[in-house]
Amino acid sequence: MTLTTEATSEGFEFVVVANRLPVDRARQEDGSFIWRTSPGGLVTALSPVMEQMGGAWVGWAGEDSEGVTEFQHGSTHIVPVPLSADEVELYYEGFSNDTLWPLYHDVIAPPTYHREWWDAYVTVNERFAAAAAAVSAHGATVWVHDYQLQLVPGLLRELRPDLIIGFFNHIPFPAYGLFSQLPWRNQIVKGLLGADVIGFQRTADAANFSRAVRRLMGYETKGTSIYVPLESDQGDMNTGGYRKGGPTRRVLAKHFPISIDFQSFEELARSPEVQARAAQIREELGSPTTILFGVDRLDYTKGIRHRLKAYGELLEDGRVKAEDTTLVQVASPSRERVETYRQLRDEIELTVGRINGDYGTIGHAAVNYLHHGYPREEMVALYLAADVMLVTALRDGMNLVAKEYVATRFDNDGVLVLSEFAGASDDLKQALLINPHDIAGLKDSIMEAINMPARERGRRMRSMRKRVRDNDVARWSHDFLTELARSSAARHSEALGHSVGTI
Ligand code: G6P
């Protein structure tokens, strides 16, 4: 694959479009502003890709970003898209995070459907599409990301038919029985089908999407290919009716499991400063025999309550004691104005308080709960200090924390307890795989992790490390962009009349 990412006089050859920019502008208590790394797995994965490729990144600079204009960040040209306070409420907190997020995560929390949220979603998607169109060179590759921007591929194709358009969904795509609840399901499917390649985390996500296309639009699908009738033959968006047998455009819907920059995590872990910090953390925790560790955005999909329930019961049963075991739970603040997230925070903090009150002793907290985000160095030190990593998500597109833990453990030690409902479980089969709803099973797996012999820990960790090393984020983007280049080349040769697909 060869891709030029330089800016030409008419725009950039490679453009990423995501709701978040890699950096987020935040107001500090004294009124001054700082730029921070944005939260979440999307930015963790995409930042090293962009650092290497260069190009433009179109996105929102966060709540305190009024008046921010284009600027250069390392090798990335940043193009901020403004959102008004109303749009933050209706498009971001509302439709993205209180409609789509719970719906796409198997309705763990009930999704809310409001027509005015949808209207704001359309308006903001139009703004992102226009911003991407304005900075893209003729024939550029534009890579759109995640559930906040599902209409952008279709809008962009209308504005700029010359572009090569990819889309990657970082979160799960739900089964049709759930997706069909969405009042605007046809519009979403049509928006996504504007892309040449639609990437998903797991094979099941891609299959769920293809099924939705068949059910809602009636288009033919075959394996990972979807045959979309050319614009004039698409029929009514609401009924999906279209003229069969007409010319089609082939869209690829396939899984491309996302990953991390393995090498940079391993390098950090090997640095003497980070190792010294890991030793210091163990000491500050009172040198317990076992450190259990969880780190998540404070989100109801992450299964933090289930984790605390299992750990609390292990303390109650006397299978672990606060004198020799501690759970460090980092919960980074997230979407704090959405009601479900507020409730979750209250519940988690009540539970932590109860566990510590019931089972802690002086100098030995059963749970060390930290409601902060931390810089990467500190995270890596925590991974190194942790004997057992707990990833108990109820539903998660991938979960990059699991892969980060594995990448940092160059000592081939540590045990990963991993939910089978996280995409990472497809890759990390040597983890202790658990069903977080099965509290008895989760308790047994935590005990198995605590008591696992060193030899077995080493065997499992070595195999997981090889897997993540061989399938790092550079490989992910390479695989996706290669498919994208291939399918756009096929489209161009069709346009030249070599072969037009028909159904
Ligand atoms: C997940 C999503 C991302 C999102 C991130 C942080 O990783 O897939 O699209 O950016 O969470 O959430 P936030 O709402 O703070 O952007």
Side-chain angles (χ1 to χ4, degrees):
M1 178 194 55
T2 50
L3 199 65
T4 327
T5 57
E6 306 286 287
T8 65
S9 55
E10 37 150 356
F12 290 85
E13 296 286 346
F14 182 64
V15 177
V16 155
V17 190
N19 180 56
R20 288 260 182 210
L21 287 168
V23 282
D24 186 72
R25 191 167 186 250
R27 185 192 290 272
Q28 290 188 295
E29 271 170 19
D30 64 1
S32 64
F33 290 100
I34 49 156
W35 287 96
R36 296 181 304 206
T37 304
S38 297
L42 181 150
V43 164
T44 306
L46 272 184
S47 295
V49 171
M50 274 310 263
E51 260 318 294
Q52 198 218 329
M53 304 217 16
W57 185 322
V58 177
W60 173 50
E63 309 242 353
D64 300 307
S65 58
E66 212 185 291
V68 174
T69 50
E70 295 187 25
F71 63 98
Q72 197 66 21
H73 173 68
S75 56
T76 310
H77 185 76
I78 300 285
V79 183
V81 176
L83 293 184
S84 68
D86 271 358
E87 286 165 346
V88 171
E89 191 185 325
L90 307 177
Y91 148 80
Y92 169 71
E93 292 166 354
F95 199 77
S96 297
N97 290 317
D98 210 5
T99 304
L100 294 173
W101 181 268
L103 179 67
Y104 282 31
H105 288 88
D106 286 359
V107 303
I108 295 166
T112 310
Y113 303 112
H114 284 310
R115 282 164 285 180
E116 51 169 1
W117 291 3
W118 164 253
D119 293 342
Y121 186 79
V122 174
T123 306
V124 172
N125 271 247
E126 284 168 351
R127 188 173 309 142
F128 272 83
V135 296
S136 299
H138 183 82
T141 296
V142 181
W143 196 0
V144 185
H145 291 264
D146 232 357
Y147 61 101
Q148 303 95 339
L149 301 177
Q150 292 173 99
L151 304 179
V152 171
L155 293 165
L156 207 48
R157 184 167 295 283
E158 275 171 29
L159 291 170
R160 292 285 305 272
D162 58 296
L163 299 176
I164 300 167
I165 305 169
F167 180 88
F168 187 78
N169 195 49
H170 291 251
I171 68 173
F173 194 88
Y176 184 70
L178 295 175
F179 181 68
S180 56
Q181 287 184 9
L182 189 65
W184 308 279
R185 58 199 189 183
N186 288 50
Q187 289 93 320
I188 294 282
V189 165
K190 187 162 185 257
L192 289 170
L193 287 173
D196 295 295
V197 175
I198 309 173
F200 295 92
Q201 300 282 26
R202 306 179 91 165
T203 42
D205 299 318
N208 286 343
F209 176 70
S210 292
R211 174 133 193 268
V213 171
R214 283 195 302 278
R215 293 292 300 263
L216 296 170
M217 317 304 280
Y219 300 164
E220 192 193 335
T221 68
K222 201 171 177 194
T224 54
S225 297
I226 298 175
Y227 298 94
V228 180
L230 295 187
E231 206 52 45
S232 53
D233 292 301
Q234 279 183 3
D236 182 340
M237 187 199 275
N238 295 315
T239 61
Y242 73 100
R243 188 167 67 77
K244 285 207 175 182
T248 60
R249 182 170 66 82
R250 178 176 167 266
V251 173
L252 188 75
K254 197 183 156 194
H255 67 290
F256 296 88
I258 204 167
S259 194
I260 54 160
D261 183 2
F262 181 94
Q263 212 183 326
S264 78
F265 276 94
E266 173 165 345
E267 267 166 27
L268 254 187
R270 285 185 186 275
S271 88
E273 294 79 18
V274 170
Q275 287 183 36
R277 177 63 191 141
Q280 190 185 14
I281 288 171
R282 286 201 80 99
E283 224 169 275
E284 284 171 359
L285 289 169
S287 303
T289 322
T290 306
I291 297 175
L292 307 170
F293 183 39
V295 51
D296 313 83
R297 271 186 315 100
L298 188 41
D299 194 298
Y300 50 82
T301 59
K302 303 291 184 183
I304 305 171
R305 277 181 296 203
H306 296 64
R307 191 180 309 167
L308 289 173
K309 172 107 184 128
Y311 180 59
E313 284 191 17
L314 287 173
L315 286 159
E316 189 184 346
D317 302 343
R319 290 167 83 183
V320 297
K321 296 218 171 337
E323 283 76 23
D324 48 44
T325 304
T326 192
L327 168 64
V328 178
Q329 176 63 54
V330 172
S332 52
S334 188
R335 306 173 190 166
E336 293 193 290
R337 288 205 301 246
V338 179
E339 186 53 31
T340 3
Y341 287 77
R342 284 191 201 180
Q343 281 174 14
L344 176 75
R345 180 173 177 192
D346 287 346
E347 278 176 50
I348 299 282
E349 294 183 353
L350 188 72
T351 309
V352 167
R354 284 209 176 127
I355 294 177
N356 277 336
D358 287 344
Y359 305 108
T361 59
I362 288 176
H364 298 284
V367 186
N368 281 268
Y369 170 78
L370 304 152
H371 185 241
H372 310 285
Y374 285 100
R376 180 169 294 184
E377 289 73 14
E378 184 72 356
M379 289 311 307
V380 172
L382 281 158
Y383 289 140
L384 286 177
D387 301 292
V388 177
M389 182 78 214
L390 297 174
V391 177
T392 58
L394 305 177
R395 182 52 83 196
D396 209 334
M398 178 52 64
N399 196 291
L400 292 181
V401 160
K403 293 190 174 180
E404 289 175 4
Y405 181 62
V406 165
T408 58
R409 297 312 300 249
F410 65 90
D411 56 355
N412 293 315
D413 206 351
V415 183
L416 174 64
V417 174
L418 177 60
S419 166
E420 63 191 65
F421 300 114
S425 65
D426 286 352
D427 283 331
L428 303 176
K429 295 215 172 8
Q430 294 298 321
L432 287 183
L433 295 180
I434 52 108
N435 168 5
H437 300 282
D438 171 11
I439 300 295
L442 176 55
K443 286 164 67 181
D444 289 345
S445 294
I446 294 175
M447 291 314 297
E448 189 184 342
I450 292 175
N451 296 318
M452 188 180 284
R455 248 180 97 108
E456 190 178 346
R457 297 202 296 266
R459 184 179 59 74
R460 287 174 183 263
M461 188 53 83
R462 256 189 297 274
S463 128
M464 291 193 287
R465 285 177 57 73
K466 176 165 173 19
R467 179 85 191 187
V468 183
R469 187 188 293 112
D470 293 348
N471 295 281
D472 66 356
V473 74
R475 166 95 188 263
W476 166 77
S477 60
H478 174 269
D479 288 354
F480 184 94
L481 294 171
T482 303
E483 282 291 4
L484 188 55
R486 227 182 255 157
S487 68
S488 82
R491 182 155 63 85
H492 281 118
S493 73
E494 282 167 12
L496 290 172
H498 297 315
S499 70
V500 174
T502 49
I503 43 175

